[in-house]
Amino acid sequence: MVQDGSLQRTNQETTEITHSFQVNKDLRQQLEQSSVDDIYFKQIVDSIEDRAIFTTDRGNNINSWGVGAARVYGYSGIEMLAQNVAILFPSETQNEQQLAEDLQAAIERGSVKGEKWYRRKNGTTFLGGSSIFLLKDKENNIRGFTHIIYDSTDKKRFQEERETLIQELKAEKQKLVNIFERGPAFMAILQGEQHVFEMANTAYFQLVGQRDLIGKPVAEALPEVVDQGVLELLDSVYTTGQPFIGTERSVGLQREAGGALEERYLNYVYEPLINAQDERIGIIAHGYDVTDQVVARKNAEQLALQIEQQAQAFNVTLSALQDFVYTFDVDGRFTYANSPLLELLGLTLDQIVGKNFHQLPYPEELATTLHSQIKQVVRTGQTVTDETSYTNPTGNKGYYEYIFTPIFDSNQRVTLVAGSTRDITTRQQLESQKDEFMGIVSHELKTPVTSIKAFTQVLQSRFERAGDERSSALLGKMDAQINKLTSLISDLLDVTKIEGGQLQFNQDYFSFDELVTEVVEETQRTTNNHTINITENPHMIVFGDRDRIGQVISNMLTNAIKYSPNAEQVIVTTSVNHESVTLCVQDFGVGIPQERQHQIFERYYRVSGNDTISGIGLGLYISAEIIKRQNGKIWVESEQGKGSKFCFSLPIPA
Ligand code: ADP
């Protein structure tokens, strides 16, 4: 065992050396004659333990066998001396032939190197690298050969492993090249201080357009960027070694030959490329074309700005109104309220947005109504209008009319509810004053008019008796005018009662057909120009207020005559089905324009154009109220210039 490279050996090893370095007779003589240097030489040879060193004579018999040989092959010197060298080769190989050729080559050239399979004493084989040297004596006669063999199996394995590694590396490199090539990021490698394109991937060509880049410096390959500071950036990265990161930097690129400069926005990095010696040899440019995102964002920002400006303009405009204007989301939470509403509630916009009526200063009952009306708008897509009184947090009571309107998205779904509220306190007060005034006036008028009527009738009968027919006829006309006055006063009184919720009904069973005949006959007496025809009038018992229903029929007949000055006929039809009785009065007069029809049941409403016909617009309002209170329905079908058909229906008692 060699320690620290010295030639000191254990006793056992020394014995082995003595044994192993057995020499044949010739050699022994030589050894005996050899000098002290030769002894050293033998020791040196034996100290090379990982090489088999032995010699053969001309007959290929082994005549010296070193310690290294004993180690490599497992044979001792005693076993090997005078053995033919063939013992060292696996029998099935061609190595003997090869050996003969090697020896011949060694004779010719002095030495030869090769690689052959060898067999150890234990039968295992190994690939051995061999060097064979020609051995000559002093007289230059060929005495044999020196063989130096080392086990190159490891070297072979190492070479194979190295080969595998190289293949793997190549595959990895190919993968990287593929990634480089097909990756979504653009990438280019620029060499040297002229930034010459060495490589550029597909994404890079997509960015700059298909052009001849490789092998050209940036200034030549992309001339349009020269004036855009790109070269200065590249120079700085190359000289300082500091990477450059560009975020959403705009670059004008001529993406088609001869085309206009196109502005692209890029997120990219210029990184210095360093070689194994830590020297800068170029730049890697890689990044993403983020033009679409940047443009989309800029558009969105622009749009947001416009919306913001518009919202401000709306807010200023809406806040200049006296009406309250506001919006809700589909869950009934405020999304906007103009200043007048904020002032009324004593809140700021931040305090109101996101809250529903229940979370704001509204009485519980009103909050519930308003909230459910908004839900109704969202559900039905229909506008809701209503009125309410409201006392604000500072105790001011007011009357308000409001309208909730749906706002639809492109799929016709309600996305928002817009509302506007008008303060009608003053109007309400004026109206109630007016109602009150009319109530008083009509009440005060009623008594004298009743007296006048009574006196007129007395006078008329006196003149009749006295044979003064002319005066009697005049008093008859006066009586008719007093009737009109009485009906006007009674209409005014009815309105006062309706407004005060005091319209009384005397409900009873009565014959509907009889009532119709009676009222028609009564009205017929008031006109000579029109004939009222009853086309159908089946017998029918109805439960309700006979006088009030008669009042409705009378009003319809009077109107039919009034509003058909050039016609001669009015048609009355009663029809019955299992749940209701329906009466219609049809005339062939002026008719009512479509767009006005929904308003004619409102108080004081008169269709314009009928100004020459007397009236105050209360008859249909009172009729509608009566029919509503009798659980019936009232409606009109009309065409301007052709006439109208007014109808009502009443439920039949089960
Ligand atoms: P008045 O007849 O006193 O004006 P009403 O309430 O009875 O009031 O009618 C309201 C309005 O409806 C009338 O002013 C008139 O314009 C319109 N109207 C009512 N009946 C008819 C009809 N038969 N034909 C045309 N217009 C009618």
Side-chain angles (χ1 to χ4, degrees):
M1 188 171 289
V2 179
Q3 286 171 358
D4 301 325
S6 76
L7 296 174
Q8 290 179 1
R9 298 187 181 276
T10 60
N11 286 342
Q12 189 203 338
E13 278 178 325
T14 316
T15 322
E16 203 177 301
I17 292 169
T18 336
H19 279 293
S20 66
F21 216 79
Q22 298 289 339
V23 290
N24 66 10
K25 209 171 141 207
D26 287 353
L27 205 61
R28 197 187 300 268
Q29 283 168 358
Q30 279 179 32
L31 281 172
E32 280 162 2
Q33 293 156 11
S34 66
S35 63
V36 176
D37 286 350
D38 288 341
I39 300 289
Y40 283 165
F41 177 72
K42 279 171 232 138
Q43 286 180 31
I44 290 166
V45 167
D46 279 348
S47 69
I48 303 169
E49 294 171 333
D50 59 346
R51 296 274 193 279
I53 301 176
F54 60 92
T55 55
T56 50
D57 59 18
R58 295 292 319 259
N60 286 346
N61 295 320
I62 293 165
N63 52 12
S64 75
W65 188 252
V67 174
R71 285 214 172 156
V72 172
Y73 287 98
Y75 292 108
S76 69
I78 296 168
E79 287 173 296
M80 291 309 279
L81 281 178
Q83 284 283 0
N84 191 287
V85 75
I87 194 172
L88 297 178
F89 299 115
S91 52
E92 65 275 14
T93 61
Q94 300 293 315
N95 284 312
E96 281 178 68
Q97 171 65 27
Q98 178 66 46
L99 180 69
E101 285 172 17
D102 283 356
L103 294 182
Q104 188 52 44
I107 291 167
E108 285 163 14
R109 299 203 297 268
S111 71
V112 70
K113 285 189 176 184
E115 197 170 56
K116 286 186 272 300
W117 283 95
Y118 292 92
R119 186 176 57 191
R120 298 189 186 88
K121 185 180 178 186
N122 64 13
T124 58
T125 56
F126 67 93
L127 190 67
S130 68
S131 300
I132 301 172
F133 300 91
L134 192 60
L135 212 56
K136 289 183 180 170
D137 60 15
K138 282 177 189 161
E139 286 78 39
N140 216 19
N141 298 317
I142 296 172
R143 300 294 306 233
F145 302 93
T146 306
H147 302 251
I148 304 174
I149 316 287
Y150 64 93
D151 185 345
S152 67
T153 316
D154 284 348
K155 186 180 148 204
K156 183 88 180 164
R157 198 184 313 127
F158 172 74
Q159 265 174 350
E160 279 168 6
E161 280 173 5
R162 191 164 162 267
E163 197 54 39
T164 319
L165 264 174
I166 287 169
Q167 289 307 328
E168 281 173 6
L169 257 169
K170 276 188 183 161
E172 288 300 319
K173 193 178 165 197
Q174 191 55 42
K175 266 193 217 164
L176 279 176
V177 169
N178 287 349
I179 291 169
F180 176 86
E181 225 1 87
R182 296 197 217 111
F186 65 73
M187 210 182 282
I189 295 176
L190 307 171
Q191 285 288 4
E193 54 189 20
Q194 289 301 309
H195 320 301
V196 175
F197 277 99
E198 188 196 347
M199 268 173 109
N201 70 351
T202 313
Y204 196 87
F205 280 103
Q206 274 166 3
L207 174 69
V208 300
Q210 291 302 332
R211 44 177 138 177
D212 210 6
L213 297 178
I214 308 303
K216 289 186 181 172
V218 168
E220 192 187 322
L222 306 172
E224 71 269 35
V225 304
V226 173
D227 292 338
Q228 300 183 45
V230 172
L231 291 184
E232 288 77 356
L233 282 177
L234 289 170
D235 288 345
S236 141
V237 173
Y238 189 79
T239 46
T240 64
Q242 289 299 313
F244 173 79
I245 299 172
T247 308
E248 292 183 5
R249 263 182 84 99
S250 134
V251 181
L253 290 169
Q254 200 173 26
R255 306 177 86 201
E256 273 176 39
L261 274 194
E262 206 179 302
E263 188 175 36
R264 307 301 294 176
Y265 292 93
L266 310 178
N267 281 354
Y268 65 96
V269 184
Y270 289 155
E271 269 179 292
L273 190 64
I274 311 284
N275 69 6
Q277 287 72 46
D278 224 14
E279 297 154 348
R280 283 193 286 282
I281 53 164
I283 288 172
I284 302 181
H286 59 101
Y288 288 93
D289 181 349
V290 290
T291 310
D292 292 347
Q293 293 94 306
V294 172
V295 169
R297 204 195 56 234
K298 288 198 173 191
N299 285 345
E301 281 168 1
Q302 181 66 23
L303 207 68
L305 192 73
Q306 277 174 7
I307 290 171
E308 173 77 24
Q309 285 168 346
Q310 240 168 37
Q312 269 175 11
F314 273 128
N315 192 24
V316 170
T317 314
L318 294 176
S319 293
L321 296 175
Q322 283 181 344
D323 290 348
F324 308 146
V325 181
Y326 41 88
T327 53
F328 307 98
D329 64 17
V330 290
D331 294 319
R333 290 180 296 234
F334 275 95
T335 53
Y336 170 77
N338 69 346
S339 315
L341 178 59
L342 298 174
E343 275 163 33
L344 177 83
L345 297 174
L347 296 172
T348 63
L349 189 61
D350 286 347
Q351 289 170 320
I352 202 171
V353 165
K355 295 195 179 130
N356 63 29
F357 284 110
H358 292 286
Q359 297 161 319
L360 291 166
Y362 284 87
E364 198 49 39
E365 202 181 328
L366 179 60
T368 306
T369 308
L370 296 173
H371 192 75
S372 72
Q373 283 174 328
I374 287 167
K375 289 295 214 181
Q376 184 187 329
V377 175
V378 173
R379 206 175 50 249
T380 63
Q382 305 275 323
T383 297
V384 166
T385 48
D386 207 347
E387 290 180 12
T388 184
S389 66
Y390 171 70
T391 307
N392 82 350
T394 56
N396 284 338
K397 182 172 179 172
Y399 288 93
Y400 301 91
E401 73 179 3
Y402 57 90
I403 176 162
F404 293 157
T405 316
I407 293 175
F408 300 97
D409 65 9
S410 53
N411 298 323
Q412 287 305 303
R413 271 200 316 253
V414 178
T415 49
L416 220 61
V417 176
S420 97
T421 297
R422 179 158 291 181
D423 186 342
I424 54 164
T425 316
T426 319
R427 196 176 84 193
Q428 198 80 2
Q429 280 164 354
L430 284 174
E431 272 187 19
S432 65
Q433 278 169 8
K434 188 177 70 191
D435 287 345
E436 206 178 320
F437 169 76
M438 285 213 300
I440 295 165
V441 170
S442 46
H443 192 76
E444 292 301 317
L445 281 173
K446 203 179 161 189
T447 320
V449 168
T450 314
S451 309
I452 293 169
K453 187 175 170 64
F455 293 134
T456 309
Q457 282 170 354
V458 171
L459 265 179
Q460 194 182 8
S461 58
R462 279 193 189 174
F463 279 120
E464 257 173 33
R465 277 201 305 270
D468 185 349
E469 280 180 18
R470 218 164 145 239
S471 300
S472 164
L474 279 175
L475 281 167
K477 284 185 181 165
M478 194 165 146
D479 188 48
Q481 292 303 317
I482 293 168
N483 281 346
K484 279 190 186 168
L485 193 59
T486 314
S487 113
L488 197 66
I489 291 166
S490 100
D491 276 359
L492 287 172
L493 278 171
D494 281 349
V495 171
T496 315
K497 283 180 195 157
I498 292 171
E499 296 305 316
Q502 287 159 352
L503 196 63
Q504 300 292 327
F505 287 87
N506 300 316
Q507 303 287 86
D508 207 347
Y509 290 95
F510 66 91
S511 164
F512 189 78
D513 48 310
E514 270 178 29
L515 174 66
V516 173
T517 314
E518 202 178 298
V519 180
V520 166
E521 280 172 2
E522 214 171 88
T523 317
Q524 182 66 73
R525 276 200 292 275
T526 64
T527 173
N528 298 321
N529 302 334
H530 292 80
T531 311
I532 308 171
N533 290 322
I534 302 176
T535 54
E536 273 176 72
N537 193 19
H539 176 62
M540 177 53 50
I541 298 296
V542 166
F543 184 74
D545 187 320
R546 192 177 190 277
D547 288 349
R548 288 292 182 196
I549 293 167
Q551 186 184 342
V552 174
I553 301 170
S554 170
N555 182 56
M556 283 185 175
L557 287 171
T558 318
N559 280 349
I561 292 165
K562 243 183 1 176
Y563 296 104
S564 65
N566 301 322
E568 292 167 359
Q569 199 185 195
V570 172
I571 300 171
V572 178
T573 316
T574 307
S575 58
V576 177
N577 66 22
H578 59 281
E579 53 186 24
S580 64
V581 55
T582 303
L583 178 126
C584 291
V585 175
Q586 188 179 9
D587 66 61
F588 302 92
V590 295
I592 303 161
Q594 184 74 32
E595 67 277 10
R596 301 274 171 247
Q597 290 176 14
H598 69 281
Q599 286 176 294
I600 56 168
F601 297 100
E602 288 172 12
R603 197 162 53 145
Y604 304 121
Y605 187 80
R606 306 203 70 219
V607 178
S608 59
N610 297 335
D611 308 339
T612 51
I613 303 168
S614 70
I616 54 169
L618 287 179
L620 286 178
Y621 169 68
I622 296 165
S623 298
E625 185 66 21
I626 292 169
I627 297 299
K628 193 169 89 187
R629 297 277 303 273
Q630 296 282 296
N631 300 320
K633 280 191 209 135
I634 188 165
W635 69 94
V636 64
E637 296 160 18
S638 182
E639 200 177 326
Q640 194 171 17
K642 294 206 170 161
S644 311
K645 190 174 178 184
F646 278 86
C647 304
F648 69 84
S649 66
L650 292 170
I652 299 173

